[in-house]
Amino acid sequence: MATALTFTYRGKDATGKKVTGVMDGPSEAIVSAKLRAQGVTPASVRQAGTGLNAEINLGGLFKKKVGLKDLAVMSRQLATMISSGLALLRALTILSEQSENEILRETLDSVRKDVEQGLSLSEAIAKHDTIFPPLFINLVRAGETGGFLESSLQSVAENYEKEVKLRGTIKSALTYPVVVLIMAILGVIGMIVFIVPVFKNMFEGLGGTLPLPTQFLVTLSESAVYWLPILVISIVVFSVWWGRNKHQPKVREVVDPLKLKMPVFGQLMTKIAIARFTRNFGTMMRSGVPILQALSIVGATSGNYVIEKALVNVQESVRQGRSIAAPLADEPIFPQMVTQMIAVGEDSGSLETMLAKVSDFYDAEVESTTEQLTALIEPLMIAFMGVLLGGMILALYLPVFNIFTLI
């Protein structure tokens, strides 16, 4: 019996769409025949991993990650197809074929195969918890259990669309100051490394004593050979460490409260955390997720350790048959309006409606605060750059005022 080999192929399907993939078979001819039987016209079939045909697969390094926008579009499309009467397997097949994100396309194909073998949709996507967040998995599970899967998927889509909009708002607020700060740092380093040494040589030829600000710049320039490599290495090491540890509880316990106390951005961070918490909690309540399970999930998805810690107390209160609003009222991060509206929602049996109103209010507040911060930060950053670079230029030109005296 011939040994099965692995072949990579490129070709076009019946609609003329380009397709690529991997297929096992005993020979190139048999793999080509299998592809034609599947409606694919092969343009190239090559054995993978041998001789000159061995491929260095760097694609995984450059694959676009699955973002919330991808999940929102996929959820809305899946909900539309299911509500139109399309079978789940057929809908998953269509999505896996037309998804523009390669990772999501491969994941959906794996989910389709698992569903085909008898798993439920929630069980199939739970196997890919690095792609599908807990919020997504639990809403799908609630929809399957209650018989309203399309409604749950619509809720997921709406939730993630609002989250994408929220993140865009945050980026618009942070991009300008971050770019200006980086430019200022690079400008300062450039002046210290390249311009100060020129002035230093000129000053040494004139003799005399340098003013203190100028001497400070000269000392920085002379020692740049030591501190500049240390600075670059420190930034790289910190970036790698932060990327690996920023989600660790011990790190978040220290960093997240500081975010809320920042002079300019603290108020914005608080509003963002509350908007995210109320929106996610309202979505899960509306979709029929059990309240204790919903509280444990929204704590992790709020993006702030302070809210996550507060919700631990809320869970204990609910577990003992008490209210949600009472323990929230004891937490400084939650304004009185939020706790009062949640209390009214609990008393009237319309908690999810109240949570939706609170999240809409804070989404609008985030937009308004972002616009105000942008208008405030722009002149502040210009003044900061002017003082920093202008101060350095003034320090360099201070000795020039004494040139004629020295001559």
Side-chain angles (χ1 to χ4, degrees):
M1 186 175 179
T3 304
L5 304 173
T6 301
F7 293 86
T8 59
Y9 66 85
R10 295 194 303 272
K12 293 184 178 180
D13 60 14
T15 62
K17 181 181 177 181
K18 291 182 179 180
V19 293
T20 61
V22 178
M23 180 176 287
D24 294 336
S27 68
E28 181 180 326
I30 292 177
V31 170
S32 298
K34 285 183 180 179
L35 290 171
R36 291 190 182 93
Q38 295 176 5
V40 176
T41 303
S44 171
V45 178
R46 294 181 178 180
Q47 185 178 345
T50 58
L52 295 176
N53 292 334
E55 298 183 7
I56 302 175
N57 184 16
L58 298 178
L61 297 176
F62 303 100
K63 285 182 180 179
K64 183 182 176 183
K65 293 182 178 180
V66 180
L68 290 180
K69 188 174 181 180
D70 298 313
L71 293 176
V73 172
M74 184 271 290
S75 302
R76 193 168 291 282
Q77 290 176 338
L78 184 57
T80 302
M81 286 188 280
I82 291 175
S83 62
S84 301
L86 224 61
L88 178 59
L89 278 173
R90 179 59 181 159
L92 289 171
T93 301
I94 294 171
L95 285 174
S96 64
E97 290 175 351
Q98 72 177 21
S99 177
E100 296 180 0
N101 188 294
E102 186 178 348
I103 296 177
L104 183 58
R105 185 166 60 245
E106 294 171 355
T107 304
L108 287 172
D109 187 56
S110 176
V111 168
R112 178 190 60 80
K113 291 176 181 176
D114 288 336
V115 172
E116 199 171 19
Q117 292 175 2
L119 291 182
S120 66
L121 179 60
S122 59
E123 291 172 335
I125 63 176
K127 294 171 67 175
H128 305 277
D129 54 0
T130 57
I131 304 296
F132 301 103
L135 183 74
F136 188 104
I137 296 170
N138 282 276
L139 287 178
V140 170
R141 184 177 292 119
E144 285 181 319
T145 304
F148 46 87
L149 179 58
E150 61 273 15
S151 300
S152 291
L153 289 168
Q154 289 284 6
S155 297
V156 170
E158 292 170 4
N159 185 283
Y160 285 159
E161 284 165 358
K162 289 182 179 179
E163 181 68 18
V164 168
K165 184 179 178 182
L166 179 65
R167 291 188 178 185
T169 304
I170 299 169
K171 286 180 181 178
S172 68
L174 296 179
T175 299
Y176 181 80
V178 169
V179 170
V180 171
L181 182 62
I182 292 173
M183 289 177 61
I185 292 172
L186 292 177
V188 168
I189 292 175
M191 289 184 67
I192 290 174
V193 173
F194 300 106
I195 297 177
V196 172
V198 176
F199 278 80
K200 177 193 167 211
N201 295 332
M202 182 180 69
F203 297 151
E204 285 179 347
L206 296 173
T209 304
L210 293 175
L212 185 61
T214 310
Q215 183 60 52
F216 176 73
L217 287 181
V218 170
T219 304
L220 273 181
S221 178
E222 291 174 341
S223 60
V225 66
Y226 303 107
W227 62 260
L228 190 56
I230 294 174
L231 177 64
V232 173
I233 293 172
S234 299
I235 291 174
V236 172
V237 170
F238 177 77
S239 300
V240 173
W241 178 87
W242 179 252
R244 293 179 178 178
N245 296 278
K246 62 182 178 181
H247 298 300
Q248 295 294 327
K250 290 183 179 179
V251 176
R252 294 180 61 217
E253 187 177 359
V254 175
V255 174
D256 285 359
L258 295 177
K259 289 181 181 178
L260 304 180
K261 296 177 183 177
M262 291 172 65
V264 179
F265 293 98
Q267 188 180 11
L268 176 62
M269 295 295 179
T270 302
K271 292 177 179 179
I272 289 168
I274 293 174
R276 189 173 284 152
F277 154 66
T278 51
R279 182 174 57 253
N280 291 344
F281 191 28
T283 300
M284 301 196 79
M285 292 294 294
R286 188 169 58 250
S287 299
V289 177
I291 187 168
L292 286 173
Q293 186 177 358
L295 285 169
S296 65
I297 293 169
V298 296
T301 58
S302 65
N304 195 280
Y305 185 82
V306 178
I307 287 184
E308 187 175 341
K309 186 178 178 181
L311 292 182
V312 173
N313 299 329
V314 176
Q315 281 181 275
E316 187 60 31
S317 175
V318 173
R319 190 175 286 112
Q320 295 176 8
R322 294 197 293 268
S323 67
I324 297 173
L328 287 181
D330 297 331
E331 300 293 336
I333 188 173
F334 295 103
Q336 189 175 5
M337 186 202 78
V338 175
T339 57
Q340 289 296 323
M341 289 191 72
I342 290 176
V344 171
E346 284 186 292
D347 295 338
S348 61
S350 57
L351 179 58
E352 61 271 18
T353 303
M354 288 297 183
L355 288 168
K357 289 182 179 179
V358 173
S359 67
D360 289 341
F361 172 79
Y362 274 98
D363 282 338
E365 281 288 296
V366 168
E367 286 191 36
S368 175
T369 305
T370 301
E371 292 174 1
Q372 294 172 9
L373 284 177
T374 303
L376 174 66
I377 287 172
E378 187 170 346
L380 287 177
M381 294 304 293
I382 292 173
F384 169 74
M385 284 193 68
V387 170
L388 186 64
L389 297 179
M392 291 187 66
I393 293 172
L394 181 62
L396 289 175
Y397 275 92
L398 281 176
V400 176
F401 301 144
N402 298 324
I403 284 180
F404 293 105
T405 306
L406 294 172
I407 291 175

